[in-house]
Amino acid sequence: MSNYKSIKLSPGLYFVSTPIGSARDITLRALDILANADVLAAEDTRTLKKLLEIHGIKLKNRSLISYHDYNGSKRRPKLLAYLENGKSVAYASEAGTPLIADPGFSLLNEVLSLGNNVTSAPGPCALIAALTVAGLPTDRFYFEGFLPSNKSQRELKFRELKSYPGTLIFYESAKRLNDTLEKATEVFGGNRQGVICRELTKKFEDIQRSSLKKLSEFYCDKKIKGEVVILVAGAGNPDIHQSEIEQHVKDALKFMSVKDSAEAVALAFNLPRRDIYQLALQIKSGGD
Ligand code: SAM
């Protein structure tokens, strides 16, 4: 039995998220769309063909059009013509969610300006996968995409983000990881927490959580391969003292549960919820 349904898709453009590693990380709806769209378009047609093969989806006589950053302006008129003729077009980038550090933005805007439908088949996305396992606050975060390859621009970017209070997320090439960590340590300070998520959902998945200084030391003599997401803890609120935090938690506990008190104080001061929850438990049980 196949994993997808035979359905009639409405005309429009479908942005389909595809796996960032493990081929089975694809939604059933994404398979339905890939199996039934009139036309398929992909950043890398070989990658999409392989994915279709794995999931038993036949291309049959449908067109599979290559669409990436370098041929976008030439290919858009062709894709737009299909839409104007009432066809359904499914677009997948090489991995993860289209438009997220991947092509699709200009296509989307032209499709919208012509009044055609756009639908998302959401799914894997490296930044979200990384954020959910990093152990850093998830209630507020900033995604930079790829860092500039130029060293001084990278430093400038870090300086710009130094006092951002939420978690920072960067895509980075493995070969620049050492340099980037060194610079991050210098700009954010060695005690700032960082997380390196490498090869998520793949066989050699590796997640390192530590201070930027320790991470920098850990990777400095290693030749790193694969795909990497770097996360850096936010600046938090350096002006608030532990005693003040404790007072806020005590005040909150007068009219809220431990969980809600921790939630409220952590949110108010952008502090890790887990730490404040532990503190609230201690205070509640009378410990120190
Ligand atoms: N559109 C994709 C998404 O939704 O995340 C991102 C594509 S971007 C061209 C590729 C970058 O995403 C990689 O250089 C890496 O920073 C990150 N990435 C993609 N897959 C990853 C994985 N399995 N593990 C860690 N990082 C990954």
Side-chain angles (χ1 to χ4, degrees):
M1 202 184 81
S2 51
N3 281 328
Y4 54 86
K5 289 191 286 194
S6 187
I7 48 169
K8 177 79 190 137
L9 291 175
S10 318
L13 176 64
Y14 294 75
F15 282 122
V16 178
S17 296
T18 56
I20 56 167
S22 172
R24 291 180 67 78
D25 280 342
I26 186 150
T27 68
L28 295 176
R29 181 160 170 266
L31 292 179
D32 291 347
I33 292 169
L34 292 172
N36 294 287
D38 298 314
V39 176
L40 300 180
E43 182 184 10
D44 185 328
T45 53
R46 278 173 312 175
T47 309
L48 185 63
K49 268 187 186 161
K50 204 170 149 202
L51 190 67
L52 296 181
E53 234 175 79
I54 291 172
H55 293 287
I57 294 174
K58 300 266 184 291
L59 191 55
K60 296 185 186 147
N61 53 359
R62 296 181 296 166
S63 299
L64 171 54
I65 297 167
S66 142
Y67 180 93
H68 47 69
D69 280 338
Y70 309 102
N71 70 4
S73 54
K74 275 196 197 143
R75 294 289 156 85
R76 275 196 294 281
K78 193 171 178 177
L79 295 176
L80 294 169
Y82 278 119
L83 296 174
E84 290 288 288
N85 287 321
K87 303 286 186 208
S88 52
V89 178
Y91 178 70
S93 59
E94 197 192 338
T97 301
L99 283 84
I100 303 301
D102 259 348
F105 186 66
S106 306
L107 179 61
L108 168 69
N109 279 296
E110 287 201 26
V111 170
L112 291 178
S113 71
L114 292 172
N116 288 307
N117 273 342
V118 182
T119 303
S120 165
C125 182
L127 81 102
I128 298 297
L131 186 63
T132 51
V133 293
L136 296 175
T138 54
D139 47 354
R140 198 203 285 197
F141 61 88
Y142 174 89
F143 172 57
E144 173 62 24
F146 281 105
L147 280 162
S149 54
N150 175 288
K151 271 189 180 186
S152 50
Q153 282 177 11
R154 237 179 306 160
E155 177 174 350
L156 214 63
K157 182 54 69 186
F158 284 161
R159 294 205 179 279
E160 202 182 289
L161 296 170
K162 189 175 173 186
S163 48
Y164 178 77
T167 299
L168 302 168
I169 308 172
F170 306 99
Y171 284 170
E172 183 56 297
S173 92
K175 69 177 192 319
R176 276 199 293 270
L177 180 63
N178 291 335
D179 268 6
T180 302
L181 277 175
E182 207 176 291
K183 192 49 78 185
T185 306
E186 188 187 313
V187 176
F188 295 112
N191 290 332
R192 211 50 103 94
Q193 293 299 298
V195 182
I196 307 301
C197 294
R198 203 164 60 79
E199 296 288 86
L200 290 169
T201 78
K202 302 184 196 177
K203 188 173 174 190
F204 296 108
E205 174 172 297
D206 176 40
I207 301 164
Q208 300 291 333
R209 304 170 182 89
S210 194
S211 67
L212 288 176
K213 184 168 185 287
K214 284 193 181 141
L215 286 172
S216 187
E217 287 164 0
F218 176 79
Y219 283 109
C220 75
D221 55 354
K222 295 187 175 59
K223 217 171 164 28
I224 307 302
K225 285 192 184 146
E227 300 197 274
V228 175
V229 181
I230 301 177
L231 300 99
V232 176
N237 190 338
D239 295 326
I240 186 155
H241 264 259
Q242 183 67 14
S243 57
E244 272 180 82
I245 298 170
E246 285 182 18
Q247 193 53 54
H248 282 289
V249 174
K250 279 180 189 159
D251 290 346
L253 283 170
K254 286 180 194 155
F255 53 91
M256 281 195 254
S257 67
V258 167
K259 187 165 171 277
D260 291 347
S261 302
E263 185 87 29
V265 175
L267 198 68
F269 298 102
N270 193 41
L271 296 164
R273 256 177 295 188
R274 254 181 325 184
D275 295 356
I276 305 302
Y277 183 70
Q278 288 306 328
L279 177 66
L281 274 180
Q282 267 174 25
I283 294 173
K284 184 84 183 172
S285 64
D288 54 14

